[in-house]
Amino acid sequence: QVQLMESGGASVQAGGSLRLSCTASGYTRSNNCMGWFRQAPGKEREGVAAIYTSGSVASSAFYADSVKGRFTISHDNVKNTVYLQMNSLEPEDTGMYYCASIWGRAAAWDVLKPDEYNYWGQGTQVTVSS
């Protein structure tokens, strides 16, 4: 079992920045990929960013088109923590942000798909006002 705990959500003005953190605990040795997802009211959960955390592709990162150039995902394996640095925030970025991890392998073309993930955090709210 893996437990994930997010933090860092807040209310900010458009153009502002936030950094979300997600710390994993439990049996994390087989965590190979971690991702950030968001869900706005009335919308489906969508992949925002993902990163491989182990193996030869460790630190390879993937982003949704809507956040490329504004968001950066990173990880610290010593702390078992993944970060999402969000800059130039827009009202459209508003939503509940969830951290998730994949137990085992994940193909690069699948890492932004929620169904690929085995463990989820409780979420942290991000609200961007115009």
Side-chain angles (χ1 to χ4, degrees), residues 14-127:
S17 298
L18 284 174
R19 188 175 83 154
L20 306 182
S21 300
C22 172
T23 299
S25 60
Y27 192 74
T28 61
R29 290 186 63 184
S30 292
N31 274 357
N32 290 313
C33 181
M34 296 187 71
W36 285 97
F37 295 79
R38 67 186 180 192
Q39 188 166 19
K43 294 188 177 180
E44 292 187 354
R45 191 170 297 189
E46 63 173 348
V48 175
I51 188 167
Y52 285 119
T53 58
S54 64
S56 60
V57 293
S59 298
S60 295
F62 306 85
Y63 298 94
D65 288 343
S66 59
V67 306
K68 282 180 181 176
R70 300 188 298 122
F71 291 10
T72 302
I73 189 171
S74 61
H75 70 102
D76 182 333
N77 280 356
V78 173
K79 297 181 178 179
N80 282 330
T81 299
V82 64
Y83 303 97
L84 185 67
Q85 177 66 43
M86 305 187 295
N87 299 327
S88 301
L89 283 161
E90 303 169 352
E92 293 73 22
D93 296 317
T94 294
M96 186 69 77
Y97 281 69
Y98 298 91
C99 172
S101 67
I102 293 176
W103 182 274
R105 299 203 173 273
W109 50 84
D110 286 336
V111 296
L112 292 180
K113 298 178 181 178
D115 289 348
E116 295 296 314
Y117 286 75
N118 307 103
Y119 299 100
W120 292 84
Q122 294 298 308
T124 185
Q125 178 69 35
V126 172
T127 303

